[in-house]
Amino acid sequence: MGGIKEHEREAGTMAVKDRDRFSTATRLRLLGEQTAARVYRSQTRRQARRSRLTGRAALLALVVCSLVVALAYPMRQYLSQRADIAELERQKRQAQQRVEELRDLKARWQDDAYAEQQIRKRLHYVRPGEIGYVVTDPSRARQSRPERSTARRPWYAHVWDGVDKSDASGQ
Protein backbone atom coordinates (compact mmCIF):
# COMPACT_ATOMS: atom_id res chain seq x y z
CA MET A 1 0.00 0.00 0.00
CA GLY A 2 2.83 2.29 0.62
CA GLY A 3 3.83 1.84 -3.00
CA ILE A 4 0.43 2.89 -4.27
CA LYS A 5 0.37 6.07 -2.24
CA GLU A 6 3.83 6.89 -3.39
CA HIS A 7 2.80 6.24 -6.97
CA GLU A 8 -0.28 8.44 -6.54
CA ARG A 9 1.87 11.16 -5.03
CA GLU A 10 4.28 10.95 -7.93
CA ALA A 11 1.38 10.96 -10.37
CA GLY A 12 -0.03 14.03 -8.59
CA THR A 13 3.29 15.86 -8.80
CA MET A 14 3.61 14.77 -12.43
CA ALA A 15 0.17 16.19 -13.12
CA VAL A 16 1.23 19.47 -11.56
CA LYS A 17 4.45 19.38 -13.54
CA ASP A 18 2.55 18.51 -16.72
CA ARG A 19 0.09 21.25 -15.99
CA ASP A 20 2.96 23.71 -15.33
CA ARG A 21 4.71 22.48 -18.47
CA PHE A 22 1.75 23.39 -20.63
CA SER A 23 0.81 26.66 -18.94
CA THR A 24 1.37 29.85 -20.93
CA ALA A 25 3.51 31.48 -18.29
CA THR A 26 5.77 28.45 -18.11
CA ARG A 27 6.08 28.27 -21.89
CA LEU A 28 6.92 31.97 -22.10
CA ARG A 29 9.50 31.63 -19.35
CA LEU A 30 11.12 28.66 -21.10
CA LEU A 31 11.10 30.49 -24.44
CA GLY A 32 12.69 33.53 -22.79
CA GLU A 33 15.42 31.42 -21.22
CA GLN A 34 16.11 29.63 -24.50
CA THR A 35 16.21 32.88 -26.42
CA ALA A 36 18.51 34.45 -23.86
CA ALA A 37 20.82 31.44 -24.13
CA ARG A 38 20.86 31.72 -27.95
CA VAL A 39 21.54 35.44 -27.82
CA TYR A 40 24.36 34.92 -25.36
CA ARG A 41 25.86 32.18 -27.54
CA SER A 42 25.57 34.27 -30.70
CA GLN A 43 27.12 37.29 -28.99
CA THR A 44 30.09 35.27 -27.85
CA ARG A 45 30.46 33.86 -31.38
CA ARG A 46 30.25 37.36 -32.90
CA GLN A 47 32.80 38.66 -30.45
CA ALA A 48 35.07 35.78 -31.29
CA ARG A 49 34.48 36.38 -35.02
CA ARG A 50 34.97 40.12 -34.66
CA SER A 51 38.30 39.72 -32.97
CA ARG A 52 39.47 37.36 -35.76
CA LEU A 53 38.10 39.55 -38.55
CA THR A 54 39.47 42.73 -37.03
CA GLY A 55 43.02 41.46 -37.25
CA ARG A 56 42.47 40.19 -40.77
CA ALA A 57 40.77 43.41 -41.77
CA ALA A 58 43.65 45.44 -40.36
CA LEU A 59 46.16 43.34 -42.27
CA LEU A 60 44.11 43.63 -45.44
CA ALA A 61 43.83 47.41 -44.98
CA LEU A 62 47.59 47.62 -44.42
CA VAL A 63 48.27 45.64 -47.60
CA VAL A 64 45.83 47.74 -49.64
CA CYS A 65 47.29 50.98 -48.31
CA SER A 66 50.83 49.88 -49.04
CA LEU A 67 49.79 48.90 -52.59
CA VAL A 68 48.14 52.28 -53.10
CA VAL A 69 51.23 54.09 -51.84
CA ALA A 70 53.54 51.91 -53.90
CA LEU A 71 51.51 52.40 -57.09
CA ALA A 72 50.60 56.09 -56.67
CA TYR A 73 53.89 57.54 -57.94
CA PRO A 74 54.22 55.21 -60.96
CA MET A 75 50.60 55.87 -61.90
CA ARG A 76 51.14 59.61 -61.65
CA GLN A 77 54.25 59.31 -63.82
CA TYR A 78 52.38 57.15 -66.32
CA LEU A 79 49.52 59.64 -66.60
CA SER A 80 51.94 62.55 -66.86
CA GLN A 81 53.89 60.82 -69.61
CA ARG A 82 50.68 59.99 -71.50
CA ALA A 83 49.75 63.68 -71.38
CA ASP A 84 53.23 64.63 -72.61
CA ILE A 85 52.97 62.12 -75.45
CA ALA A 86 49.58 63.50 -76.46
CA GLU A 87 50.97 67.05 -76.44
CA LEU A 88 53.99 66.02 -78.52
CA GLU A 89 51.75 64.26 -81.03
CA ARG A 90 49.66 67.43 -81.34
CA GLN A 91 52.80 69.49 -81.91
CA LYS A 92 53.97 66.96 -84.49
CA ARG A 93 50.68 67.26 -86.40
CA GLN A 94 50.96 71.04 -86.32
CA ALA A 95 54.56 70.89 -87.56
CA GLN A 96 53.59 68.54 -90.39
CA GLN A 97 50.75 70.88 -91.36
CA ARG A 98 53.18 73.84 -91.34
CA VAL A 99 55.64 71.89 -93.52
CA GLU A 100 52.85 71.19 -96.02
CA GLU A 101 51.90 74.88 -96.08
CA LEU A 102 55.54 75.86 -96.66
CA ARG A 103 55.88 73.30 -99.45
CA ASP A 104 52.79 74.76 -101.12
CA LEU A 105 54.21 78.27 -100.75
CA LYS A 106 57.54 77.17 -102.21
CA ALA A 107 55.77 75.57 -105.15
CA ARG A 108 53.84 78.80 -105.74
CA TRP A 109 57.04 80.86 -105.66
CA GLN A 110 58.47 78.53 -108.31
CA ASP A 111 55.80 79.86 -110.69
CA ASP A 112 57.04 83.03 -112.44
CA ALA A 113 53.57 84.57 -112.68
CA TYR A 114 53.05 84.30 -108.87
CA ALA A 115 56.52 85.71 -108.17
CA GLU A 116 55.88 88.68 -110.48
CA GLN A 117 52.49 89.32 -108.86
CA GLN A 118 54.02 89.32 -105.35
CA ILE A 119 56.93 91.56 -106.42
CA ARG A 120 54.56 94.11 -107.96
CA LYS A 121 52.28 94.02 -104.89
CA ARG A 122 54.92 94.16 -102.16
CA LEU A 123 57.65 96.25 -103.74
CA HIS A 124 55.39 98.45 -105.87
CA TYR A 125 57.28 97.59 -109.07
CA VAL A 126 55.76 98.59 -112.42
CA ARG A 127 56.57 97.52 -115.92
CA PRO A 128 58.10 99.97 -118.34
CA GLY A 129 55.41 102.19 -119.68
CA GLU A 130 53.03 101.69 -116.70
CA ILE A 131 52.31 104.43 -114.19
CA GLY A 132 52.46 103.40 -110.52
CA TYR A 133 50.18 104.92 -107.96
CA VAL A 134 50.38 104.62 -104.18
CA VAL A 135 47.20 105.44 -102.30
CA THR A 136 47.67 106.55 -98.75
CA ASP A 137 45.14 106.56 -95.99
CA PRO A 138 44.32 110.18 -95.01
CA SER A 139 43.98 109.30 -91.32
CA ARG A 140 47.51 107.91 -91.27
CA ALA A 141 48.82 111.02 -92.97
CA ARG A 142 47.33 113.18 -90.20
CA GLN A 143 48.88 110.99 -87.52
CA SER A 144 52.32 111.25 -89.07
CA ARG A 145 52.29 115.12 -89.20
CA PRO A 146 53.22 115.61 -85.52
CA GLU A 147 56.09 113.20 -86.09
CA ARG A 148 57.30 115.43 -88.92
CA SER A 149 57.35 118.42 -86.60
CA THR A 150 59.55 116.54 -84.16
CA ALA A 151 61.78 115.52 -87.04
CA ARG A 152 62.52 119.22 -87.75
CA ARG A 153 64.05 119.61 -84.33
CA PRO A 154 67.79 119.07 -84.01
CA TRP A 155 68.94 115.71 -82.67
CA TYR A 156 70.38 117.09 -79.46
CA ALA A 157 66.92 118.43 -78.52
CA HIS A 158 65.58 114.87 -78.67
CA VAL A 159 68.45 113.64 -76.50
CA TRP A 160 67.91 116.41 -73.95
CA ASP A 161 64.13 115.64 -73.84
CA GLY A 162 64.95 111.98 -73.19
CA VAL A 163 67.22 112.95 -70.28
CA ASP A 164 64.55 115.22 -68.84
CA LYS A 165 61.90 112.50 -69.10
CA SER A 166 64.08 109.88 -67.43
CA ASP A 167 65.06 112.32 -64.69
CA ALA A 168 61.40 113.16 -64.05
CA SER A 169 60.36 109.52 -63.87
CA GLY A 170 63.07 108.79 -61.26
CA GLN A 171 61.57 111.22 -58.73
Side-chain angles (χ1 to χ4, degrees):
M1 211 147 123
I4 295 177
K5 280 200 176 204
E6 205 173 295
H7 183 53
E8 283 178 8
R9 204 177 322 147
E10 283 178 16
T13 57
M14 289 286 256
V16 171
K17 282 184 184 178
D18 285 341
R19 192 173 5 126
D20 284 347
R21 194 172 101 193
F22 294 113
S23 72
T24 306
T26 306
R27 277 194 238 145
L28 287 176
R29 186 174 42 83
L30 285 175
L31 280 173
E33 289 173 1
Q34 290 172 353
T35 305
R38 283 188 207 134
V39 167
Y40 177 75
R41 277 184 261 144
S42 68
Q43 283 178 350
T44 56
R45 285 184 203 147
R46 280 190 208 139
Q47 288 173 352
R49 255 191 254 142
R50 274 191 205 142
S51 63
R52 273 189 283 154
L53 291 178
T54 303
R56 288 179 186 172
L59 181 62
L60 179 63
L62 180 65
V63 167
V64 168
C65 288
S66 61
L67 284 175
V68 166
V69 169
L71 294 176
Y73 183 73
M75 284 301 293
R76 191 182 87 193
Q77 289 295 330
Y78 173 75
L79 294 175
S80 172
Q81 289 173 358
R82 295 301 302 168
D84 291 344
I85 288 170
E87 177 65 22
L88 289 173
E89 287 175 349
R90 186 188 61 79
Q91 289 176 359
K92 178 184 170 186
R93 283 191 304 273
Q94 286 180 344
Q96 287 174 343
Q97 184 179 8
R98 179 72 177 140
V99 165
E100 290 299 319
E101 290 171 1
L102 290 174
R103 283 185 183 152
D104 291 343
L105 185 62
K106 181 182 175 186
R108 276 189 264 149
W109 277 99
Q110 298 292 328
D111 183 21
D112 290 336
Y114 180 79
E116 182 182 341
Q117 177 192 14
Q118 291 299 315
I119 290 169
R120 289 172 66 117
K121 179 180 172 185
R122 294 179 185 188
L123 300 177
H124 305 288
Y125 277 21
V126 291
R127 290 180 177 234
E130 292 180 351
I131 299 173
Y133 293 97
V134 177
V135 179
T136 59
D137 186 15
S139 63
R140 286 189 182 176
R142 287 185 197 132
Q143 290 174 354
S144 64
R145 284 185 185 150
E147 295 171 6
R148 288 182 191 163
S149 65
T150 58
R152 292 181 187 152
R153 294 174 49 190
W155 65 270
Y156 53 85
H158 293 290
V159 172
W160 193 251
D161 287 343
V163 170
D164 285 340
K165 287 181 184 176
S166 66
D167 189 35
S169 66
Q171 292 178 353

Short mmCIF file of all heavy atoms in Angstrom, two decimals, residues 1-10:
data_model
loop_
_atom_site.label_atom_id
_atom_site.label_comp_id
_atom_site.label_asym_id
_atom_site.label_seq_id
_atom_site.Cartn_x
_atom_site.Cartn_y
_atom_site.Cartn_z
N MET A 1 0.77 -1.15 0.00
CA MET A 1 0.00 0.00 0.00
C MET A 1 0.84 1.25 0.00
O MET A 1 0.43 2.24 -0.61
CB MET A 1 -0.83 -0.04 1.26
CG MET A 1 -2.01 0.63 0.92
SD MET A 1 -3.42 0.18 1.59
CE MET A 1 -4.11 1.25 2.28
N GLY A 2 1.91 1.18 0.58
CA GLY A 2 2.83 2.29 0.62
C GLY A 2 3.28 2.63 -0.76
O GLY A 2 3.49 3.78 -1.11
N GLY A 3 3.39 1.62 -1.64
CA GLY A 3 3.83 1.84 -3.00
C GLY A 3 2.77 2.54 -3.80
O GLY A 3 3.05 3.33 -4.69
N ILE A 4 1.50 2.28 -3.50
CA ILE A 4 0.43 2.89 -4.27
C ILE A 4 0.33 4.36 -3.91
O ILE A 4 0.16 5.20 -4.80
CB ILE A 4 -0.91 2.18 -3.97
CG1 ILE A 4 -0.82 0.77 -4.46
CG2 ILE A 4 -2.05 2.91 -4.62
CD1 ILE A 4 -2.03 -0.03 -4.15
N LYS A 5 0.45 4.68 -2.63
CA LYS A 5 0.37 6.07 -2.24
C LYS A 5 1.53 6.85 -2.83
O LYS A 5 1.37 7.99 -3.25
CB LYS A 5 0.38 6.19 -0.71
CG LYS A 5 -0.95 5.91 -0.16
CD LYS A 5 -1.02 6.50 1.21
CE LYS A 5 -2.42 6.27 1.69
NZ LYS A 5 -2.82 7.15 2.66
N GLU A 6 2.64 6.23 -2.82
CA GLU A 6 3.83 6.89 -3.39
C GLU A 6 3.62 7.13 -4.88
O GLU A 6 3.93 8.18 -5.41
CB GLU A 6 5.04 5.96 -3.17
CG GLU A 6 6.31 6.72 -3.13
CD GLU A 6 7.43 5.79 -2.73
OE1 GLU A 6 7.46 5.28 -1.62
OE2 GLU A 6 8.29 5.60 -3.61
N HIS A 7 3.06 6.13 -5.54
CA HIS A 7 2.80 6.24 -6.97
C HIS A 7 1.76 7.33 -7.23
O HIS A 7 1.88 8.12 -8.19
CB HIS A 7 2.31 4.87 -7.49
CG HIS A 7 2.08 4.86 -8.96
ND1 HIS A 7 3.01 5.26 -9.87
CD2 HIS A 7 0.99 4.48 -9.71
CE1 HIS A 7 2.51 5.13 -11.09
NE2 HIS A 7 1.28 4.64 -11.01
N GLU A 8 0.73 7.42 -6.40
CA GLU A 8 -0.28 8.44 -6.54
C GLU A 8 0.32 9.82 -6.30
O GLU A 8 0.00 10.79 -6.98
CB GLU A 8 -1.42 8.20 -5.55
CG GLU A 8 -2.33 7.11 -5.96
CD GLU A 8 -3.42 6.86 -4.92
OE1 GLU A 8 -3.53 7.67 -3.97
OE2 GLU A 8 -4.13 5.88 -5.09
N ARG A 9 1.22 9.88 -5.32
CA ARG A 9 1.87 11.16 -5.03
C ARG A 9 2.71 11.60 -6.21
O ARG A 9 2.70 12.74 -6.63
CB ARG A 9 2.73 11.03 -3.78
CG ARG A 9 2.92 12.34 -3.14
CD ARG A 9 3.71 12.29 -1.86
NE ARG A 9 3.41 11.14 -1.04
CZ ARG A 9 4.28 10.51 -0.26
NH1 ARG A 9 5.52 10.94 -0.20
NH2 ARG A 9 3.95 9.50 0.43
N GLU A 10 3.44 10.63 -6.77
CA GLU A 10 4.28 10.95 -7.93
C GLU A 10 3.41 11.33 -9.12
O GLU A 10 3.71 12.25 -9.86
CB GLU A 10 5.14 9.75 -8.31
CG GLU A 10 6.31 9.55 -7.41
CD GLU A 10 7.12 8.33 -7.79
OE1 GLU A 10 6.95 7.82 -8.93
OE2 GLU A 10 7.92 7.92 -7.00
#
